[in-house]
Amino acid sequence: MPPTETTTPSRVVCVGEALVVLTPTDDVPLAEAATFTRSVGGAELNVALTLGHLGIDVAWVSRLGDDGFGEHVRALAGSAGVDVSAVATDPDRPTGLYVKVPGTAADGTRRSRMHYYRSGSAASALSPEFLDEPAVAGVLASAGTVHVSGITPGLSDSAARFCAELARRTRAAGATLSVDLNHRPVLWRGRDDAPLRALAEAADELLLGADEARAVFGTDDPARLRARFGHARRVLLKQEEHGVLVLEPGEPDRHVPALDVDVVEPVGAGDAFAAGYLAARSRGADPDDAVRFGHRCAAAALVVRGDRPAHVPALT
Ligand SMILES: Nc1ncnc2c1ncn2[C@@H]1O[C@H](COP(=O)(O)OP(=O)(O)O)[C@@H](O)[C@H]1O
Ligand SMILES: O=C(O)C(=O)C[C@H](O)[C@H](O)COP(=O)(O)O
């Protein structure tokens, strides 16, 4: 279906929850941490902020609490050039947050523990009705690409229905649906993850890690993923430090190697990768060059403690 008249091909609209991040200020276990440094995270907001810093036309759709954290998030997004006109304030529910404790795994790789405080958050009240709010409908109608992660349907049953309807409307409007699987097992504990799989299957562009592919779809074998997502325009299978395998209908598999990075803290690398990829695509880069730029943005996120690059590479 051709894009609607209001669609702007290069505009990216990111949809999902923002979280305030509290990280122990000193490098100590959580039980000993008395002071915390506040920052901002949340997968789709991370993507939107990096897109804003790259100079891309970007909007973010979400719900925040009527609290100081929500005010801070809204101001930060606005100052990065992100259109926040479709971000609602919920008078009754708080902005979500998570505590991030950086550390090192037994094999020496950098790993962080994440403790979520988000159940009952403002964003968990996303529901299909939200899509009918004029500000939200207007922003979504302007999207060339809608980007959402598998975290969003995991927020609540109403958020899962929201995502199904968002996917349906995005495709009906002729915009591209970009999905980063972002499997968060804790959000699906005791719940059927069918909405996560359905969102992945609705994607035009699907980004997922090999570990996530195994956990959610039972395989990271490229041939089996091709068979499963044959209708998807493109699958980017992320293989951490090894790079990304690009799977496209009618094309041979292509491997795009990652950069050599001394990782400081890994959270947010996937979001930075997605932002770099979407930014380059929205400027007309071919998929492999866009993956290369995604790797550069991911590398910039990996060398800082925060969830996003301190400085984005130049997008030419
Ligand atoms: N050890 C690493 N060395 C270099 N690049 C990496 C490394 N780990 C991740 N990356 C980069 O980050 C991107 C996203 O990695 P991934 O592990 O999928 O992140 P996440 O788990 O945050 O989604 C990769 O495609 C790659 O560009
Ligand atoms: O886990 C969540 O729900 C969050 O949104 C918090 C983080 O900001 C993202 O998880 C970062 O995602 P990655 O880039 O895949 O590491």
Side-chain angles (χ1 to χ4, degrees):
M1 190 182 295
T4 57
E5 278 174 15
T6 44
T7 299
T8 311
S10 60
R11 182 168 236 228
V12 182
V13 177
C14 301
V15 186
E17 179 164 40
L19 296 168
V20 160
V21 188
L22 300 179
T23 310
T25 305
D26 303 312
D27 206 2
V28 294
L30 187 53
E32 293 164 27
T35 55
F36 295 81
T37 301
R38 179 203 62 179
S39 58
V40 166
E44 297 89 348
L45 178 62
N46 283 338
V47 175
L49 290 169
T50 299
L51 285 168
H53 289 133
L54 287 165
I56 300 298
D57 179 12
V58 57
W60 172 54
V61 175
S62 193
R63 307 182 83 255
L64 291 167
D66 186 10
D67 49 35
F69 285 155
E71 272 173 50
H72 174 64
V73 169
R74 185 184 289 275
L76 183 79
S79 69
V82 177
D83 174 354
V84 290
S85 60
V87 178
T89 300
D90 186 322
D92 303 317
R93 299 176 183 83
T95 304
L97 67 85
Y98 86 93
V99 175
K100 177 167 86 169
V101 186
T104 304
D107 65 0
T109 55
R110 297 295 290 163
R111 288 275 176 263
S112 292
R113 283 207 62 186
M114 327 250 293
H115 305 270
Y116 294 131
Y117 300 83
R118 72 193 318 178
S119 64
S121 68
S124 74
L126 285 167
S127 68
E129 295 72 42
F130 188 57
L131 292 165
D132 294 326
E133 292 196 7
V136 176
V139 162
L140 286 168
S142 70
T145 297
V146 172
H147 177 75
V148 64
S149 88
I151 293 168
T152 308
L155 298 178
S156 65
D157 290 345
S158 71
R161 292 195 302 277
F162 165 85
C163 286
E165 184 59 14
L166 174 71
R168 194 191 68 72
R169 292 191 192 193
T170 300
R171 294 177 65 90
T176 298
L177 180 66
S178 160
V179 174
D180 188 340
L181 193 68
N182 270 350
H183 180 226
R184 299 289 180 265
V186 70
L187 296 181
W188 296 102
R189 203 167 286 156
R191 295 173 64 208
D192 181 3
D193 69 359
L196 175 66
R197 286 179 276 117
L199 183 64
E201 278 161 8
D204 296 300
E205 307 252 16
L206 176 62
L207 288 64
L208 79 173
D211 53 339
E212 297 176 318
R214 288 191 297 275
V216 178
F217 300 109
T219 183
D220 63 359
D221 175 55
R224 290 181 64 193
L225 291 171
R226 266 180 183 278
R228 175 147 199 156
F229 297 104
H231 65 282
R233 197 178 297 162
R234 192 168 296 114
V235 177
L236 303 183
L237 183 63
K238 296 181 282 178
Q239 299 166 321
E240 297 196 345
E241 73 274 21
H242 304 296
V244 164
L245 199 61
V246 182
L247 311 176
E248 275 186 89
E251 303 270 348
D253 297 355
R254 302 186 305 276
H255 183 258
V256 183
L259 277 66
D260 195 4
V261 181
D262 279 333
V263 177
V264 171
E265 200 287 311
V267 175
D271 300 336
F273 173 82
Y277 174 76
L278 292 172
R281 289 291 290 154
S282 85
R283 291 277 171 87
D286 72 33
D288 295 17
D289 281 343
V291 167
R292 277 184 265 279
F293 189 67
H295 285 325
R296 291 180 59 203
C297 291
L302 286 164
V303 296
V304 293
R305 254 168 92 90
D307 284 11
R308 286 178 304 284
H311 304 285
V312 289
L315 176 61
T316 48

